[in-house]
């Protein structure tokens, strides 16, 4: 039996990965449906998440808005169930999706991470599962060290429910988990750092929010996918070192993230953990 599977099964826990996706995006509308090698970015991301070695239930969570019908259709084509909920309250949508699929452990992996390395997902889950009951929440984001776009947050359903019950700030509802990691005294929180000892969180950008990000991600898939559909974060780093022109496609946005809009509200995030886009 796969050792990853046996850990979860031995503890009698159901692990649900919730991928939040919607067509509305201020900077790059419909980004999750942009094509890469004949399939959508959402398809490519789910394809990668299916490589996770832990036994998990994948769920795509979108909104009730008609524009997001295409997200549901795409999910079902991939054999992944789709949950539909509130458009703007992603904390509620995440919790309701996790509850609907009877999750004991919930993962938050945003749909703007189509290059996410499934090995990193497994690493974070391994830490969470290693000492059963030790943590309420484990991520690789506080502080972040992996290249941006490998975002993994793992929490118990009870942890997520507590946040859902008490969170009220708009940023807490929009971004799902800030209430948890901003209130470390109320939760048992762990963090996973990149085993290399490197910190590429502000220098390497594998996420999608701008047209340049799409061109970068598309190029990475074109370079690596045919030879190895299960290419890793290390494979991408090696590619960028061999072909720095690819790195430069979206380098101007490296380090740009949503934190920049909320520095006056967030207690645990500093100005050094985000930057304003140059253009």
């Amino acid at each position: 039996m796969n050792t990853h599977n046996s850990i979860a099964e031995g503890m009698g826990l159901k692990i649900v990965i919730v991928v939040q996706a919607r067509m509305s995006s201020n900077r790059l509308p419909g980004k999750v449906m942009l094509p890469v090698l004949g399939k959508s970015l959402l398809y490519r991301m789910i394809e990668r998440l299916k490589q996770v070695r832990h036994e998990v239930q994948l769920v795509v969570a979108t909104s009730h808005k008609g524009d997001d019908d295409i997200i549901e259709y795409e999910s079902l084509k991939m054999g992944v169930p789709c949950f539909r909920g509130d458009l703007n309250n992603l904390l509620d949508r995440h919790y309701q999706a996790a509850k609907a699929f009877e999750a004991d452990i919930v993962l938050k992996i945003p749909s703007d991470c189509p290059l996410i390395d499934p090995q990193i997902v497994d690493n974070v889950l391994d830490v969470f599962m290693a000492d059963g009951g030790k943590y309420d929440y484990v991520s690789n984001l506080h502080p972040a060290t992996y290249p941006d776009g490998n975002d993994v947050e793992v929490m118990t359903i009870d942890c997520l429910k507590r946040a859902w019950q008490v969170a009220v700030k708009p940023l807490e509802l929009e971004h799902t988990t800030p209430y948890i990691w901003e209130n470390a005294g109320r939760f048992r929180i762990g963090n996973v750092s990149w085993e290399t000892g490197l910190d590429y969180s502000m220098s390497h950008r594998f996420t999608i929010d701008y047209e340049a990000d799409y061109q970068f991600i598309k190029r990475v898939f074109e370079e690596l996918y045919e030879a190895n559909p299960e290419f890793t974060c290390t494979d991408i780093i090696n590619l960028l070192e061999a072909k720095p022109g690819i790195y430069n496609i979206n380098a101007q946005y490296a380090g740009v993230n949503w934190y920049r809009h909320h520095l006056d509200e967030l207690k645990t995030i500093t100005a050094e953990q985000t930057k304003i886009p140059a253009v």
Side-chain angles (χ1 to χ4, degrees):
M1 180 184 292
N2 185 306
T3 56
H4 291 267
N5 289 353
S6 63
I7 293 172
E9 290 174 357
M11 297 176 70
L13 301 174
K14 183 175 183 181
I15 305 171
V16 176
I17 297 178
V18 179
V19 178
Q20 298 266 18
R22 63 183 183 183
M23 292 299 288
S24 53
S25 169
N26 292 334
R27 282 169 290 275
L28 194 59
K31 61 187 179 182
V32 298
M33 292 302 295
L34 292 172
V36 171
L37 299 178
K39 301 290 185 180
S40 69
L41 275 177
L42 181 60
Y43 180 100
R44 294 298 176 201
M45 180 175 171
I46 295 298
E47 184 178 47
R48 292 179 70 76
L49 289 175
K50 285 180 176 180
Q51 298 165 23
V52 169
R53 294 188 302 276
H54 280 274
E55 184 175 333
V56 299
Q57 166 78 67
L58 282 166
V59 177
V60 172
T62 193
S63 83
H64 289 300
K65 193 177 178 184
D67 291 352
D68 289 327
D69 288 351
I70 191 172
I71 301 289
E72 181 173 8
Y73 299 150
E74 185 75 352
S75 303
L76 298 178
K77 279 199 304 183
M78 294 183 288
V80 174
C82 182
F83 178 88
R84 303 190 73 160
D86 193 278
L87 175 65
N88 297 310
N89 186 341
L90 274 71
L91 173 55
D92 181 70
R93 198 198 312 167
H94 208 95
Y95 172 65
Q96 299 298 344
K99 188 170 69 167
F101 286 88
E102 302 180 327
D104 297 299
I105 298 169
V106 190
L107 276 74
K108 174 181 182 282
I109 300 180
S111 61
D112 55 7
C113 297
L115 288 171
I116 193 162
D117 187 336
Q119 293 180 17
I120 295 173
V121 179
D122 278 315
N123 288 346
V124 179
L125 265 168
D126 284 344
V127 171
F128 184 90
M129 304 289 286
D131 298 302
K134 179 179 179 180
Y135 294 113
D136 299 311
Y137 171 93
V138 175
S139 79
N140 60 353
L141 297 172
H142 305 290
T145 50
Y146 289 96
D148 189 9
N150 285 287
D151 306 9
V152 184
E153 298 176 82
V154 186
M155 66 213 80
T156 65
I157 187 66
D158 289 340
C159 173
L160 181 59
K161 182 179 180 179
R162 285 164 62 195
W164 174 78
Q165 287 173 328
V166 298
V168 294
K169 296 179 182 177
L171 77 92
E172 295 169 343
L173 305 182
E174 179 184 357
H175 297 285
T176 309
T177 54
Y179 181 85
I180 299 168
W181 45 262
E182 282 279 285
N183 291 280
R186 302 176 190 178
F187 300 95
R188 297 167 300 164
I189 293 177
N191 190 70
V192 178
S193 296
W194 198 9
E195 63 273 15
T196 61
L198 299 169
D199 183 351
Y200 280 7
S201 60
M202 292 291 289
S203 61
H204 287 63
R205 181 179 174 86
F206 299 173
T207 188
I208 181 166
D209 206 23
Y210 300 94
E211 174 65 25
D213 296 328
Y214 169 56
Q215 296 302 329
F216 170 84
I217 291 165
K218 184 169 174 286
R219 182 70 184 278
V220 169
F221 271 102
E222 290 169 350
E223 292 277 345
L224 298 177
Y225 185 88
E226 184 176 358
N228 178 18
E230 299 185 4
F231 63 87
T232 67
C233 180
T234 299
D235 293 329
I236 301 173
I237 297 295
N238 291 339
L239 171 66
L240 303 184
E241 290 176 353
K243 298 184 177 182
I246 300 176
Y247 170 85
N248 290 330
I249 292 173
N250 69 340
Q252 62 184 315
Y253 297 115
V256 175
N257 57 50
W258 68 268
Y259 297 155
R260 70 188 187 279
H261 299 301
H262 301 283
L263 289 175
D264 59 336
E265 299 175 79
L266 295 167
K267 299 174 293 185
T268 60
I269 301 297
T270 67
E272 288 69 39
Q273 292 170 278
T274 187
K275 73 175 190 180
I276 307 298
V279 293

